[in-house]
Amino acid sequence: MDSRRRDLVDRDLDEAAADLLAHDSRLRGLDVRVRFDGAVAHVEGDVPATADLAVLRERLGRLAGVLAVWDRVRVAGAPPRVVDLGCGGTKQHPGNIGIDLRPGPEADVLADLAHGVPLADASVDQIFVVHVLEHLADYLPLLRECHRVLRPGGVLHVLAPWWRHVNAVADPTHVRLIDVQTFKHLCRPDDAGRCWYPLLVTRDESTVFADLVPAVDGREPACERRLARFFD
């Protein structure tokens, strides 16, 4: 998509989000602002409770053409604790906690993710795993660690090159191919009963996007109707 069309799509989504906030009775009155960049919703502001944030994420994710919903919303005045795993030289927000194997200006914590994530159980609100999974021969242990450290209602944000785009094979350090369908398996319980609930799983012409919530504390695994929204 060329830059002019991308900007037009973003402005159309901005307008759709503004209409949603103005007219959806569940969202009307929330002190939040939504801006789209590359069809990703960037949300800031304050909400009274985690349930309000969950509804906001769900409703924004239902807008046609939205690729992901990334929020930095305070809940009852508390800012989110957000982690960038394998951050390299880039964090998705300056306030995030960057974790990487190698020292660098964005790495706040040095750790080999092959040996786990050095964070306590249920201790973070969001995790970004941006262009990491394709570098791992076995990424399931890392995703299990993300499941462990996310709080109930927390979100795992994944970006990876779509397997049919040249970016997937142009980098010789890529050892796995990723598709939207890759995440269907993760949304069914594993042998230990762990699974992810899909908020949004989609792609554009080059990148797969997944927003996933750990199915814990009473959240049921996604039903077949939910899975049908995203997967074959």
Side-chain angles (χ1 to χ4, degrees), residues 81 119-125 146-152 217:
R81 189 182 192 211
L119 297 169
D121 294 358
S123 61
V124 301
D125 298 292
C146 292
H147 197 283
R148 177 183 65 80
V149 304
L150 277 168
R151 293 170 177 152
D217 284 6

Side-chain angles (χ1 to χ4, degrees), residues 129-225:
V129 179
V130 177
H131 294 292
V132 172
L133 298 188
E134 64 271 19
H135 295 275
L136 303 176
D138 183 5
Y139 52 72
L140 294 180
L142 178 60
L143 294 182
R144 288 194 290 268
E145 280 289 275
C146 292
H147 197 283
R148 177 183 65 80
V149 304
L150 277 168
R151 293 170 177 152
V155 183
L156 170 65
H157 302 288
V158 178
L159 274 73
W162 182 44
W163 73 278
R164 297 191 66 179
H165 192 271
V166 66
N167 289 347
V169 295
D171 186 338
T173 68
H174 291 177
V175 296
R176 293 297 297 267
L177 297 176
I178 308 293
D179 185 68
V180 168
Q181 302 304 316
T182 301
F183 295 92
K184 184 176 183 178
H185 169 79
L186 301 173
C187 295
R188 298 189 185 279
D190 63 14
D191 292 341
R194 287 178 299 253
C195 72
W196 295 92
Y197 185 90
L199 292 183
L200 191 58
V201 186
T202 187
R203 67 168 180 84
D204 61 12
E205 64 273 13
S206 64
T207 304
V208 175
F209 297 79
D211 290 348
L212 308 169
V213 175
V216 294
D217 284 6
R219 179 186 278 274
E220 294 293 326
C223 65
E224 292 301 316
R225 187 178 68 180

